[in-house]
Amino acid sequence: MMLVSTLKRCFVRAFLAGLSFFLLLCVSGCSFKTKQSSLDPKGPIALAQYDLFMVTVWVTLFIFVTVGGALLWVVWRFRQRPDDDDDHMPNQSHGNPLVEVGLIVASILLLVIIAVPTLRVLVYTFELPEDEGSKLGQWYQGPLTEEDAETILTVNVMGYQWWWAFEYPQLGITTANELVIPEGKVVKLNLRSADVIHSFWLPKIAGKVDLIPGRANWMWIKADEPGHYYGQCAEFCGSAHAYMLFRSDVLSHRDFEAWVEYQKKDAPEALEVSVAAGERLFAEKTCIQCHTIRGNQYAMGIKGPDLTHVASRKSLAAGIMDNRGVDGRIDRLKQRENLFEWIKNSQHIKPGNLMYHDDAGLKTVPLSDDDVHKIVAYLQTLN
Amino acid sequence: MNAHALSLESLIKEEAKRYHAFINLAFILAILTSTEIVIIFLPFASWLIVTSLVVLSLVKFFCVILWFMHLIYDRILLFLLFMSGLLIAVGTVIALMFLFSPNDLDRSLFSFNTLSMFFNSFCFVA
Amino acid sequence: MNSDISSAATVDALHHEEHSSTGIENKKLMMWLFLASDCMFFGTLITTHLIYRKLYPSGAAEEGILNIKNTFNIELTSFSTFILLMSSFLMALAVSAMHKGQLQSFRKNVLGVIFFGLIFLGCQVYEFTEFSMGNPTAGIPPLTLSNSIFGSTFYLMTGTHGTHVAIGVLWLVAMFFYSFSGRMNIHSAIDVEVAGLYWHFVDIVWIVIFTAVYLIEYI
Amino acid sequence: MAVSTHAPVADKRLLPPSKSLIGLIRPDTSTGLVDWLTTVDHKKIGIMYGGFALFFFLLGGIEALLIRLQLMYPGGTVVSAQTYNQLFTMHGTTMVFLAVMPLNAAFFNFVMPLQIGARDVAFPRLNALGLWAFVAGALILNLSWLFQWAQVFGWFTPVSGQMDIVPAIGWFGYAPITGKNYSGIGTDFWIFGLQVLGVASLVGSFNFITTIINMRAPGMTMMRLPLFTWMTLITSFLIIFAFPAITIALVELMFDRFFGTNFYHVEMGGQPILWQHLFWIFGHPEVYILILPTMGIVSEILPTFARKPLFGYPMVVFSGAVIGFLGFAVWSHHMFTTGLGVVATAAFSLLTMAIAVPTGVKILNWIGTLWGGHIRFSVPMVFALGFIWMFMMGGFSGIMHSAAPADAQQQDSYFVVAHFHYVLIGGALLAILGGLYFWVPKIFGRMMSEKVGYIAASAIIIGFNVAFFPMHYLGLTGMPRRTHTYLAGFGWETWNFVATIGAFVLGIGVLMVIIDLIRTVASGKPCGSDPWDARTLEWSLPSPVPAYNFAHNPVIPGRDAWWLHKYGKKPEQEIEYEKTGPEGIHMPSQSWWPLVSSVGLLVVGVAMALHSAGVPYCGYVAIGGLGLSVVSFFLWALEGPGGYHLTPPDDGDEPQKVLASYTPEPSQKLELTH
């Protein structure tokens, strides 16, 4: 008996210690402002979704406290005590219609509290707002057709295994894995997939919408403040699904216009000898079959990301590799290392990716370290 | 066994009555089917034709399950069981029909070489 | 139950003395459950067809590769529909005969059902070959499993129905031969009735398919 | 205490067909292993269902622990991306189809006929087919691991090029990733495995419905059925209406892969979204197929240990039916992010919320049952109370999902993972383990260890919460599902680590239960027929239950018949028995054909997958397998139901009221009448 009671005491102590450690962890380990958190909304859609979520949290918390409390109380109150008669026969009551119907009505009322804001937010997120100020002609100074000026900035999001293409049809530019949008403006995203189903998820700006092949999905987003945002594909899309990330830069109007101006330019001609060697290697080593570089007349491939301004991107390999230094700007040294690593070891960094593949399977492209350095040097001029 | 034997007599009588019902039904089904085939070539509005086709096939459908499949003679439970499956199926069909719309299609991925396909299948058969 | 009776028939009868809370034979109840489930089965197939019909008015993602109305042969299909309806009528007579214990009449009718079922299957085989070949001289393109979405849904749906018919024919053929074994008696009426239910269901599925797949193309 | 031996006395007057109609000798109960392979006894089939399901449950658990190990640290390298995808695919498929469903089926088989006072199910051989087809389907799925290992050792190489031999498409298998362009023969194993499992579930369900509707003892009206039987009935209806949808979806997928059709082939106009619809038309009822039986189990355990009838019985039954029916009208809430449009999304959102009402009714009625009771905290009760609590929390996150716009943030994140594990571990698994502790004394006549039970229950409940509660946080802070790794610096490290620890605690708890179960079967303490002082009819029988269940058919006096019988104040509340006549009890003969036809299905599945891998002659082997199944179905029909007669022991006019301690004799044989 002694042993049992000691064991019991030890068990209780261990349990309490574990519980307090757990609670401590909860306090210290839970930040809601992490990089990809949906609990830190920075745009009206994410905010509406967050508010709705909080409504459901409060309603269910209320049910949790009342029903859970009732359960605990009942279990405690009607437990069999050690001195109770084993054969005690409780009252064999088997129901009370009034109580049952009352509780049903109460639960329906609680659901109505959730249903009303749900429908409101639903309509809000599904309808492109008629925001005059967001129309392209109202704020973008560059050349636009009349039709484009009257519409909202549109971005065609194309999902590939396992990277993203962002095309700005009104502005005539295409970029990859980094969605750049102006702050405070409504942006319409046309979501298309080239192969399997993907899902566009930028938690701080908006919840996800799927990119389904054969289906024309769209969503609208708006970002309230400039910043660097983190997003990810949220639908299982094959072996490297975990590496299908993307980043979003929200810029002020001026910065955005400058960015667009910059992106519209073709890639500069390779003037330096080492860079020209890299350009040649880029063609010789079959990179051109899949990648487009505007300004390089050989690089016209469409299977891989557009590399026209690859060096202006803050990340590499669909967001896995960060090119930024501590100050948040691109660190050229880091970028060089990343590019080298990626070209040299892409199968290791992102297993299953389609670099060095053609329709027949894995291609063997002999690349010496020196070759890679030259290609990197060439790519780094594309900023 | 005795109860069974007794009911056998009445059962046989019952069956004789059903015989005429079956013959009549066969005629009705034949007539309804010919009506359907005629209707589709009549110059009426398409909604009218579709509605009458649906009604006619529903009539045929229920005639078969009620008489040929004996539901009208059998216990109501069987009818309810079958109808529950049928209703869930019909409900699902209708809901799915509403959920799909040509407006949602993204046609950019459809790449279809009509000519080659035509020739391929032709050669295959030949 | 007298203890001196020990003929096979009595044992047989004893086995038939199933306990049933509702008075419905187990086999019949189960067949109806199967048919209820089969509604969902064919419902899903037909809805696949109708959805793609709605999405692609020409029957394929690309216009002009099919000519469904000309491919279809409404005379033949009407004939096979008629045949199937009449086979259902004969099946009802066969069940009726078995309930009365008239083995000869049962055999005659069930043979009729089998014959009609085979005609239906023959029509379908003919139809499938005709459709898949097309008629280039008359300008009717072929319709195959893989050349269009319509081909896929059409062949899978009607083929599944045809498989059901074929299973029914097999079942009835087995039953026909079994009727000569001497074991078939008035107590086997329930087995025949269950087979009959299946056969009628195949018939009503065809009623739906005939309207929703064939006739609708002519409007 | 009277000891009843139930030695059946042979009746020589009626001859059973010991040969089948085509002259083949039928196996009987005297042959050990063959007996188990050919049995048609619902109790043995139930035990085998449970055994196989627990095995696959352990397998799925190992897969889960590997997944957790991989995610313990960011950038984990325990397994490769491809292996991880195979692990979560097989974990999901295994747990849904090979663990929870068959565990439920084990209880259906064992308990339901006893609860309604039947001697067997309506179609005993079909019941055996359900079991063996389940085993065949499970083998088709899991043999893929063997072929994968063979490939690692270089003994087997698919010529089709794609090397994923174990399915790596998720248990939902969304098109077009299941297409030939994107996945290898793993998908074929998956298609055929699921198809065969569908056959198993369907035949089982037809049988259960027929049994419940038709085989009730006299006096057992529908509104006197024990709750577990009611939930069996509703679940079986859900299965027969839901499975055809996935059957067709799988057939279409199979045709796409084998015969070049275009159902999900985008380039030809196929719509991958159609797969999602068809899958969830099945998939959502499937969720209730998993959870409703366990609600039934809990509705049996709570009244027993509170010594009170279920509160609001008609309401609980009705709410179960409503949940089942509404389950067919909410499938698209799994697809809120697929751009359904405002109207459809709103409709499915509201219907989903509506389901919360009948579910809430059940929870409130369970609390009502406890109210005023006399609660004993035996092990089954601890699991049942854990069930209510955890299931309630799973329900709350369910309500959060039903608000479609909020769901756009939660869908495909770890929040969803937390939600359905709360429903399926905190709900289904806890209840199943409770049911195991509850019914094992009836099944094996032996008690499981209380002490181990309490420790295991605490380990499972605590470990489960430690593992899965943090996932709510992970999901809301942006961690997506089905990713084999994640980058550091997103605030996910701590809680992934904690979750892995919790998962192992949970695993240890489950392992303790299973080890104790094996010990109990081998050498547990024998127990009486009614150790819990329970309420329903199965507790009126000796433990273990004799082959014929009821020596004399009971006449049911009311709901909770056994309780009324024991404690009823009036004489008409006692169970009466219809004395079995001199011809004895009709027992069905055993049969080989359920097993043989399942072997045929197994051959078809494996051969088709290998055919897809380019192994020569496999197409013919598949046709041969199909032929084997068809032939055995014909022989099945020809051998007839068969049967023999047993005479129950003569205990005087009335069978023993309480058969307190029954020691089974291992050598006891049922003498057949020839």
Side-chain angles (χ1 to χ4, degrees):
Chain A
M1 275 326 275
M2 271 295 283
L3 188 72
V4 170
S5 64
T6 319
L7 271 177
K8 225 180 221 170
R9 214 172 322 126
C10 283
F11 183 74
V12 169
R13 270 188 202 161
F15 182 75
L16 287 179
L19 195 68
S20 42
F21 176 70
F22 195 71
L23 290 175
L24 197 75
L25 214 63
C26 287
V27 177
S28 61
C30 285
S31 165
F32 295 135
K33 307 247 178 221
T34 51
K35 284 180 180 171
Q36 204 165 303
S37 173
S38 73
L39 301 172
D40 181 26
K42 300 285 188 203
I45 290 201
L47 188 66
Q49 288 166 338
Y50 172 76
D51 287 343
L52 178 63
F53 172 68
M54 287 319 284
V55 172
T56 63
V57 167
W58 290 119
V59 171
T60 51
L61 206 62
F62 170 74
I63 309 176
F64 179 73
V65 170
T66 49
V67 178
L71 179 61
L72 281 183
W73 183 80
V74 167
V75 169
W76 181 253
R77 165 71 184 73
F78 297 105
R79 74 192 189 282
Q80 183 178 352
R81 294 170 176 82
D83 50 340
D84 272 358
D85 178 12
D86 243 11
D87 294 331
H88 171 74
M89 185 60 63
N91 182 16
Q92 298 288 304
S93 68
H94 46 68
N96 183 336
L98 208 64
V99 173
E100 288 169 48
V101 173
L103 288 171
I104 291 175
V105 172
S107 50
I108 291 175
L109 284 179
L110 283 172
L111 285 177
V112 170
I113 296 179
I114 298 177
V116 172
T118 298
L119 294 180
R120 205 177 48 74
V121 177
L122 197 63
V123 173
Y124 178 68
T125 52
F126 266 84
E127 280 182 4
L128 192 66
E130 296 190 5
D131 181 359
E132 285 300 318
S134 284
K135 292 201 171 147
L136 215 45
Q138 296 278 330
W139 57 274
Y140 178 69
Q141 303 303 320
L144 290 172
T145 65
E146 213 162 287
E147 193 190 344
D148 286 342
E150 279 304 302
T151 51
I152 281 166
L153 175 64
T154 303
V155 182
N156 292 336
V157 179
M158 195 75 173
Y160 294 87
Q161 272 179 331
W162 296 272
W163 59 279
W164 305 82
F166 299 111
E167 183 197 0
Y168 298 69
Q170 297 140 323
L171 308 175
I173 54 181
T174 302
T175 174
N177 299 322
E178 275 185 24
L179 174 66
V180 179
I181 54 171
E183 85 175 293
K185 298 295 173 210
V186 173
V187 179
K188 185 183 180 215
L189 305 179
N190 288 321
L191 305 167
R192 302 287 185 274
S193 166
D195 36 48
V196 301
I197 301 176
H198 305 282
S199 189
F200 182 91
W201 190 23
L202 195 54
K204 291 198 181 192
I205 308 289
K208 56 191 81 62
V209 176
D210 294 352
L211 290 69
I212 301 171
R215 200 174 159 83
N217 277 351
W218 67 277
M219 71 194 287
W220 69 271
I221 59 174
K222 190 170 150 186
D224 287 337
E225 46 189 271
H228 191 68
Y229 295 94
Y230 296 80
Q232 188 156 0
C233 170
E235 182 64 79
F236 177 65
C237 55
S239 59
H241 163 56
Y243 292 137
M244 190 172 167
L245 319 176
F246 66 96
R247 302 288 176 248
S248 177
D249 261 338
V250 177
L251 305 177
S252 65
H253 291 171
R254 228 185 33 218
D255 290 351
F256 183 77
E257 290 200 8
W259 179 81
V260 171
E261 282 310 307
Y262 199 80
Q263 295 286 319
K264 279 186 164 180
K265 287 184 197 150
D266 286 351
E269 254 179 82
L271 298 174
E272 277 180 55
V273 180
S274 63
V275 174
E279 188 184 19
R280 208 169 45 246
L281 279 168
F282 192 81
E284 278 171 12
K285 301 296 180 185
T286 68
C287 307
I288 51 165
Q289 288 181 1
C290 297
H291 295 286
T292 295
I293 295 174
R294 267 181 293 121
N296 178 337
Q297 53 171 326
Y298 303 109
M300 305 280 272
I302 51 165
K303 284 182 189 162
D306 185 309
L307 298 181
T308 310
H309 294 281
V310 65
S312 74
R313 292 175 199 154
K314 291 176 178 169
S315 62
L316 190 65
I320 307 167
M321 305 170 106
D322 202 340
N323 292 336
R324 295 174 306 160
V326 274
D327 58 348
R329 291 161 178 277
I330 295 173
D331 180 341
R332 310 293 291 176
L333 210 63
K334 211 170 165 187
Q335 187 179 45
R336 186 183 308 162
E337 281 168 17
N338 284 345
L339 278 169
F340 180 84
E341 272 298 302
W342 173 244
I343 296 169
K344 190 79 190 157
N345 288 327
S346 74
Q347 279 303 326
H348 179 70
I349 295 163
K350 194 197 262 194
N353 86 77
L354 296 183
M355 205 139 121
Y356 309 123
H357 274 73
D358 58 13
D359 294 335
L362 201 62
K363 273 193 287 197
T364 42
V365 181
L367 274 176
S368 67
D369 282 6
D370 190 47
D371 292 345
V372 179
H373 278 301
K374 282 178 184 153
I375 292 175
V376 170
Y378 168 61
L379 291 178
Q380 277 208 307
T381 63
L382 306 173
N383 63 3
Chain B
M1 283 311 288
N2 275 343
H4 198 109
L6 269 181
S7 67
L8 209 60
E9 289 287 309
S10 56
L11 196 73
I12 288 174
K13 256 184 212 156
E14 180 77 8
E15 288 295 342
K17 258 189 259 165
R18 288 182 193 179
Y19 184 76
H20 296 288
F22 292 156
I23 289 187
N24 293 337
L25 188 58
F27 275 114
I28 292 170
L29 288 176
I31 291 166
L32 290 182
T33 309
S34 357
T35 319
E36 280 184 332
I37 300 163
V38 173
I39 278 181
I40 54 169
F41 295 109
L42 293 181
F44 294 145
S46 60
W47 65 265
L48 187 69
I49 299 177
V50 172
T51 319
S52 40
L53 280 183
V54 169
V55 170
L56 283 175
S57 45
L58 268 182
V59 171
K60 279 160 71 181
F61 188 98
F62 278 96
C63 281
V64 173
I65 64 166
L66 287 178
W67 279 279
F68 279 172
M69 295 168 91
H70 293 181
L71 273 183
I72 205 158
Y73 310 112
D74 251 324
R75 312 221 168 206
I76 189 88
L77 176 69
L78 293 177
F79 186 70
L80 294 179
L81 283 180
F82 183 69
M83 286 314 284
S84 62
L86 189 64
L87 280 180
I88 289 178
V90 170
T92 311
V93 171
I94 292 173
L96 277 174
M97 292 299 292
F98 273 107
L99 282 168
F100 282 82
S101 149
N103 301 334
D104 295 336
L105 291 184
D106 167 22
R107 294 175 188 274
S108 63
L109 284 177
F110 303 160
S111 59
F112 189 76
N113 192 333
T114 317
L115 213 60
S116 77
M117 206 61 188
F118 183 85
F119 274 107
N120 280 348
S121 43
F122 184 70
C123 296
F124 175 71
V125 171
Chain C
M1 192 72 58
N2 292 324
S3 57
D4 54 349
I5 310 172
S6 57
S7 67
T10 322
V11 176
D12 220 29
L14 196 74
H15 291 156
H16 277 280
E17 238 183 355
E18 301 167 317
H19 173 77
S20 165
S21 313
T22 51
I24 305 166
E25 292 91 339
N26 287 344
K27 284 176 185 168
K28 199 191 212 172
L29 181 59
M30 169 142 146
M31 181 43 82
W32 274 108
L33 289 168
F34 170 76
L35 298 183
S37 167
D38 229 21
C39 281
M40 196 71 189
F41 193 84
F42 277 106
T44 316
L45 274 172
I46 292 172
T47 198
T48 305
H49 179 81
L50 292 181
I51 284 169
Y52 282 126
R53 217 59 210 92
K54 182 180 173 188
L55 293 183
Y56 307 110
S58 73
E62 195 150 320
E63 304 275 326
I65 63 157
L66 293 182
N67 187 344
I68 297 166
K69 205 165 162 178
N70 287 356
T71 304
F72 274 177
N73 182 347
I74 192 68
E75 293 83 4
L76 180 73
T77 316
S78 308
F79 170 69
S80 60
T81 306
F82 185 75
I83 285 290
L84 203 61
L85 283 172
M86 289 310 111
S87 79
S88 217
F89 167 61
L90 289 183
M91 192 69 229
L93 294 187
V95 174
S96 192
M98 208 58 223
H99 273 301
K100 289 182 276 192
Q102 297 165 348
L103 212 52
Q104 273 307 326
S105 162
F106 161 76
R107 283 184 196 137
K108 256 188 279 172
N109 282 312
V110 102
L111 214 53
V113 180
I114 293 168
F115 182 61
F116 279 14
L118 288 175
I119 291 180
F120 179 84
L121 286 174
C123 285
Q124 195 164 40
V125 170
Y126 175 77
E127 187 186 78
F128 280 13
T129 33
E130 283 288 294
F131 288 5
S132 63
M133 287 199 289
N135 190 347
T137 48
I140 301 171
L143 174 76
T144 67
L145 252 184
S146 49
N147 81 344
S148 60
I149 198 83
F150 183 86
S152 301
T153 58
F154 172 80
Y155 284 118
L156 185 66
M157 174 176 40
T158 48
T160 309
H161 179 265
T163 312
H164 271 66
V165 176
I167 291 171
V169 168
L170 269 181
W171 189 350
L172 293 177
V173 167
M175 213 161 235
F176 176 73
F177 285 115
Y178 186 71
S179 74
F180 292 100
S181 71
R183 294 177 200 271
M184 199 131 169
N185 55 33
I186 196 161
H187 301 294
S188 319
I190 180 66
D191 297 331
V192 179
E193 190 174 345
V194 166
L197 288 177
Y198 175 85
W199 190 263
H200 295 309
F201 182 77
V202 171
D203 183 32
I204 58 173
V205 169
W206 189 254
I207 289 176
V208 176
I209 290 182
F210 182 60
T211 309
V213 177
Y214 288 90
L215 292 181
I216 217 91
E217 298 293 340
Y218 289 85
I219 294 167
Chain D
M1 297 257 180
V3 175
S4 163
T5 52
H6 276 279
V9 182
D11 182 286
K12 305 285 181 199
R13 282 170 298 185
L14 285 169
L15 291 176
S18 62
K19 288 182 175 180
S20 82
L21 299 184
I22 44 170
L24 297 172
I25 307 282
R26 297 181 74 158
D28 61 33
T29 51
S30 59
T31 44
L33 177 68
V34 173
D35 172 36
W36 284 91
L37 293 178
T38 61
T39 187
V40 292
D41 181 353
H42 71 95
K43 297 177 288 296
K44 285 181 178 165
I45 289 173
I47 290 169
M48 283 193 281
Y49 252 118
F52 284 116
L54 282 176
F55 171 75
F56 288 115
F57 175 58
L58 280 183
L59 207 62
I62 291 167
E63 285 155 4
L65 291 181
L66 280 171
I67 289 171
R68 278 319 318 166
L69 270 182
Q70 163 78 2
L71 294 178
M72 199 163 176
Y73 299 104
T77 50
V78 177
V79 293
S80 68
Q82 183 70 2
T83 312
Y84 180 90
N85 297 339
Q86 295 173 337
L87 283 175
F88 80 69
T89 301
M90 288 301 281
H91 168 70
T93 313
T94 301
M95 287 307 193
V96 170
F97 293 102
L98 312 185
V100 177
M101 273 182 79
L103 278 170
N104 286 336
F107 288 124
F108 293 168
N109 264 297
F110 194 93
V111 178
M112 182 273 289
L114 304 180
Q115 283 194 331
I116 62 173
R119 290 219 167 102
D120 208 324
V121 290
F123 301 98
R125 286 180 296 168
L126 218 49
N127 209 18
L129 175 66
L131 169 72
W132 295 117
F134 150 61
V135 175
L139 284 179
I140 294 171
L141 268 174
N142 281 290
L143 282 179
S144 59
W145 288 115
L146 289 189
F147 285 101
Q148 171 121 325
W149 286 325
Q151 191 233 329
V152 169
F153 292 117
W155 301 333
F156 169 71
T157 314
V159 295
S160 56
Q162 259 134 351
M163 288 301 160
D164 46 339
I165 295 169
V166 179
I169 48 177
W171 86 281
F172 45 88
Y174 277 2
I177 212 166
T178 47
K180 258 202 158 6
N181 302 340
Y182 302 107
S183 62
I185 64 165
T187 309
D188 300 313
F189 279 113
W190 185 79
I191 291 172
F192 286 97
L194 251 56
Q195 208 67 287
V196 174
L197 288 168
V199 172
S201 304
L202 281 170
V203 294
S205 303
F206 291 134
N207 202 355
F208 292 139
I209 299 175
T210 313
T211 307
I212 296 173
I213 290 181
N214 248 1
M215 308 272 288
R216 286 166 285 131
M220 181 62 92
T221 58
M222 289 307 272
M223 287 317 270
R224 285 178 180 176
L225 288 180
L227 230 288
F228 179 71
T229 302
W230 256 116
M231 291 306 130
T232 308
L233 182 67
I234 293 168
T235 306
S236 303
F237 269 110
L238 290 185
I239 289 176
I240 68 168
F241 294 146
F243 266 79
I246 195 171
T247 306
I248 291 300
L250 286 168
V251 166
E252 291 173 351
L253 180 59
M254 184 195 87
F255 267 69
D256 271 9
R257 286 181 68 90
F258 283 86
F259 305 112
T261 55
N262 308 311
F263 294 102
Y264 311 116
H265 192 188
V266 185
E267 286 76 10
M268 300 286 283
Q271 287 287 304
I273 188 110
L274 176 68
W275 168 273
Q276 293 195 24
H277 280 291
L278 296 184
F279 182 82
W280 289 116
I281 286 171
F282 148 79
H284 197 76
E286 172 70 18
V287 174
Y288 297 123
I289 290 167
L290 300 177
I291 198 74
L292 280 176
T294 65
M295 290 177 165
I297 293 173
V298 168
S299 304
E300 296 292 325
I301 293 176
L302 290 176
T304 301
F305 293 96
R307 293 173 69 83
K308 261 188 76 206
L310 191 70
F311 184 84
Y313 171 95
M315 217 47 161
V316 180
V317 170
F318 184 65
S319 62
V322 170
I323 291 176
F325 184 75
L326 279 181
F328 282 98
V330 297
W331 78 82
S332 284
H333 70 208
H334 297 266
M335 304 162 58
F336 278 155
T337 61
T338 57
L340 293 168
V342 183
V343 181
T345 309
F348 282 108
S349 186
L350 294 181
L351 279 165
T352 307
M353 288 179 195
I355 279 197
V357 176
T359 316
V361 166
K362 291 209 164 203
I363 289 178
L364 296 171
N365 279 295
W366 289 327
I367 295 177
T369 308
L370 299 174
W371 196 293
H374 191 65
I375 302 172
R376 277 177 292 151
F377 295 102
S378 300
V379 182
M381 188 63 167
V382 173
F383 277 113
L385 290 175
F387 167 91
I388 301 181
W389 194 262
M390 298 303 130
F391 180 71
M392 187 167 72
M393 296 185 50
F396 291 150
S397 42
I399 292 176
M400 294 170 187
H401 293 312
S402 73
D407 184 61
Q409 292 281 17
Q410 297 155 7
Q411 166 79 2
D412 276 325
S413 78
Y414 263 81
F415 193 85
V416 175
V417 178
H419 161 71
F420 68 75
H421 281 95
Y422 262 83
V423 178
L424 290 180
I425 296 184
L429 181 65
L430 286 188
I432 284 170
L433 293 179
L436 200 68
Y437 270 89
F438 188 56
W439 277 308
V440 154
K442 179 56 53 194
I443 297 172
F444 296 109
R446 296 166 189 275
M447 293 296 277
M448 288 179 74
S449 160
E450 283 242 303
K451 209 176 290 171
V452 175
Y454 287 127
I455 297 172
S458 341
I460 289 170
I461 293 174
I462 292 171
F464 160 69
N465 277 292
V466 171
F468 290 99
F469 197 79
M471 289 186 188
H472 291 112
Y473 168 81
L474 287 174
L476 290 173
T477 52
M479 183 166 168
R481 292 167 81 172
R482 300 170 187 139
T483 51
H484 73 275
T485 188
Y486 52 96
L487 295 180
F490 284 71
W492 302 330
E493 295 93 334
T494 318
W495 293 107
N496 270 301
F497 183 80
V498 170
T500 303
I501 303 289
F504 273 90
V505 175
L506 169 64
I508 290 168
V510 170
L511 204 61
M512 281 166 76
V513 173
I514 290 177
I515 290 173
D516 190 47
L517 178 67
I518 294 168
R519 184 199 60 81
T520 306
V521 175
S523 61
K525 198 177 71 185
C527 66
S529 67
D530 187 13
W532 310 116
D533 196 13
R535 312 178 70 88
T536 43
L537 209 53
E538 73 268 28
W539 302 100
S540 71
L541 294 169
S543 311
V545 183
Y548 45 78
N549 295 356
F550 293 89
H552 305 277
N553 274 329
V555 181
I556 309 303
R559 210 178 284 161
D560 286 345
W562 181 238
W563 185 264
L564 280 184
H565 183 74
K566 285 187 293 189
Y567 298 105
K569 300 278 189 294
K570 300 174 205 145
E572 68 264 28
Q573 287 176 328
E574 282 197 17
I575 300 175
E576 286 172 16
Y577 290 89
E578 291 175 338
K579 194 155 167 45
T580 301
E583 76 278 8
I585 300 166
H586 175 232
M587 301 289 290
S589 294
Q590 299 187 204
S591 174
W592 279 107
W593 304 121
L595 181 67
V596 175
S597 50
S598 302
V599 170
L601 295 177
L602 173 68
V603 171
V604 174
V606 175
M608 284 302 270
L610 293 183
H611 174 71
S612 181
V615 179
Y617 304 116
C618 271
Y620 299 107
V621 177
I623 293 170
L626 197 64
L628 181 64
S629 288
V630 171
V631 167
S632 57
F633 286 137
F634 265 101
L635 294 178
W636 174 327
L638 279 177
E639 77 177 359
Y644 55 93
H645 285 80
L646 288 176
T647 315
D650 198 1
D651 302 330
D653 284 333
E654 220 186 0
Q656 230 69 37
K657 258 190 195 170
V658 184
L659 302 160
S661 67
Y662 167 64
T663 344
E665 290 163 32
S667 64
Q668 179 192 351
K669 262 186 211 163
L670 300 178
E671 198 178 335
L672 302 184
T673 51
H674 285 288

